[in-house]
Amino acid sequence: MYHNPVLLKQSVDDLVTNPDGTYVDCTFGGGGHSREILSRLSDKGRLFSFDQDLDALKNTIDDPRFTLINQNFRFLENSLLMHGVSQVDGILADLGVSSHQFDEADRGFSTRSNAPLDMRMNVMQNLDAKRVINDYEEGELADIFYHYGELREARKLARDIVHHRKTKSIETTEDLKKLFSYIPPHKVNKFYAQLFQAIRIEVNQELEVLKEMLVQAYNVLKPEGRLVVISYHSLEDRLVKRFLKNGMFEGEPERDIYGNYKKAFELVKSKAIIPDEKEIEENSRARSAKMRTGIKVG
């Protein structure tokens, strides 16, 4: 299976309120969410799905209501305009790396396989993990590890990398892991998950791309249109939670003399939805998922 969609029924239940409407799946992947959305639409309904990964194009759906756009979802608004669409009824974004990307060893996403340092979701872009590890300044690496991986020992990690690469380039995931053989065994799995996450976020500019998508999603949603986002780590979830609350990523919104501010969205539920034990048992990658749904204030 290319990818086992997370929170499939719950996300599409929240998303599709008008069978005749126009919807967007920002992260097509294996097409699981897209197929479920199409099953809820009438003949008048339309679905536009985005994916920058060329491998995902092999999963396209033969349906006249469906259009697959081979673009990063940071180009959401302009891409829809190119297809004659200025407003939509709902947008879904499942932010996780697909199972396929993790399982394809040569993509370099997985901590379990020895592979070239890559981690690009779009294999056509120039920046990859090898360039990050071998070319970035020590301070830049430390910031990435600290802010994106939430690694307290970020400065030491960056120093170790810079010291090693003076004599030999770091080419593979195994080369990188060997530098940190001093990590205690009981901390190894979490450490490498955080380290690889930090590098992957930098390579794909994931947080900046997410911010751009959320702002554009607000722009193209109709009043009372729905935005459903499934995130997989706290950095993403904090951005989504804050944006759904007040349409901002930092700072405080302007308030009236009564202390009220204009909301961007009404939350369907105040707390994030998480997968139940059965889904986690069937798909371990669902373990960290959190889903939030907002209704655009009209």
Side-chain angles (χ1 to χ4, degrees), residues 109 111 119 144 147-150 191-202 206 232-235:
F109 286 102
T111 62
M119 302 193 196
I144 290 166
H147 293 294
Y148 296 164
E150 300 180 290
F191 169 77
Y192 285 128
Q194 290 173 280
L195 180 68
F196 277 49
Q197 172 184 293
I199 300 167
R200 192 197 75 226
I201 289 174
E202 174 63 19
E206 291 177 29
Y232 293 83
H233 55 75
S234 59
L235 300 176

Side-chain angles (χ1 to χ4, degrees), residues 48-297:
F48 294 87
S49 294
F50 285 72
D51 208 300
Q52 64 182 329
D53 191 340
L54 293 174
D55 285 352
L57 301 184
K58 302 169 186 175
N59 303 317
T60 191
I61 302 168
D62 184 14
D63 189 310
R65 303 169 298 170
F66 175 74
T67 302
L68 179 55
I69 300 172
N70 183 211
Q71 281 282 13
N72 188 306
F73 58 55
R74 76 189 314 167
F75 305 115
L76 173 68
E77 194 167 5
N78 282 342
S79 295
L80 289 174
L81 283 173
M82 289 177 65
H83 286 82
V85 177
S86 59
Q87 286 195 307
V88 300
D89 295 89
I91 297 171
L92 169 67
D94 177 354
L95 304 177
V97 179
S98 75
S99 302
H100 171 76
Q101 288 168 329
F102 271 122
D103 293 339
E104 285 287 299
D106 60 357
R107 300 292 293 272
F109 286 102
S110 175
T111 62
R112 301 189 306 272
S113 304
N114 186 24
L117 280 170
D118 193 328
M119 302 193 196
R120 292 173 298 171
M121 293 183 182
N122 177 3
V123 296
M124 304 301 290
Q125 74 177 38
N126 291 322
L127 182 63
D128 61 10
K130 181 180 174 182
R131 284 187 59 189
V132 170
I133 293 300
N134 288 283
D135 295 349
Y136 275 31
E137 299 290 338
E138 183 177 323
E140 291 178 293
L141 288 173
D143 286 345
I144 290 166
F145 298 152
Y146 183 77
H147 293 294
Y148 296 164
E150 300 180 290
L151 289 159
R152 288 181 294 179
E153 60 271 66
R155 291 191 183 280
K156 173 173 170 46
L157 303 178
R159 190 162 57 246
D160 289 345
I161 288 171
V162 171
H163 175 74
H164 179 87
R165 75 189 192 194
K166 287 178 181 178
T167 56
K168 187 177 181 182
S169 176
I170 302 165
E171 300 282 334
T172 68
T173 54
E174 200 62 34
D175 289 344
L176 181 63
K177 290 169 68 175
K178 284 178 181 177
L179 300 184
F180 309 118
S181 57
Y182 55 78
I183 300 296
H186 66 283
K187 294 184 178 181
V188 162
N189 290 341
K190 183 179 180 182
F191 169 77
Y192 285 128
Q194 290 173 280
L195 180 68
F196 277 49
Q197 172 184 293
I199 300 167
R200 192 197 75 226
I201 289 174
E202 174 63 19
V203 167
N204 298 289
Q205 298 292 297
E206 291 177 29
L207 299 185
E208 291 306 311
V209 169
L210 173 58
K211 290 179 185 178
E212 292 176 32
M213 183 275 287
L214 291 172
V215 171
Q216 292 176 53
Y218 179 81
N219 293 342
V220 301
L221 277 171
K222 297 176 181 178
E224 299 189 10
R226 294 191 168 207
L227 175 60
V228 182
V229 185
I230 304 170
S231 61
Y232 293 83
H233 55 75
S234 59
L235 300 176
E236 293 173 337
D237 185 55
R238 280 198 291 266
L239 290 175
V240 173
K241 182 179 179 180
R242 187 165 178 76
F243 187 76
L244 289 177
K245 180 180 178 182
N246 55 34
M248 301 174 68
F249 301 112
E250 55 189 30
E252 290 295 328
E254 292 186 14
R255 297 176 182 268
D256 61 24
I257 58 173
Y258 303 106
N260 301 314
Y261 62 86
K262 185 179 179 181
K263 290 184 177 181
F265 293 88
E266 291 286 352
L267 298 180
V268 171
K269 289 186 171 63
S270 58
K271 293 185 177 181
I273 301 299
I274 60 175
D276 59 24
E277 291 183 8
K278 183 175 184 295
E279 180 170 4
I280 293 171
E281 185 178 334
E282 294 173 351
N283 180 13
S284 61
R285 287 173 179 153
R287 186 178 304 280
S288 57
K290 289 185 176 180
M291 185 184 88
R292 299 184 187 274
T293 303
I295 302 173
K296 182 177 176 178
V297 175

Side-chain angles (χ1 to χ4, degrees), residues 26-42:
C26 286
T27 45
F28 177 69
H33 284 109
S34 286
R35 287 181 173 81
E36 182 66 22
I37 294 167
L38 287 167
S39 76
R40 313 284 186 96
L41 300 183
S42 72

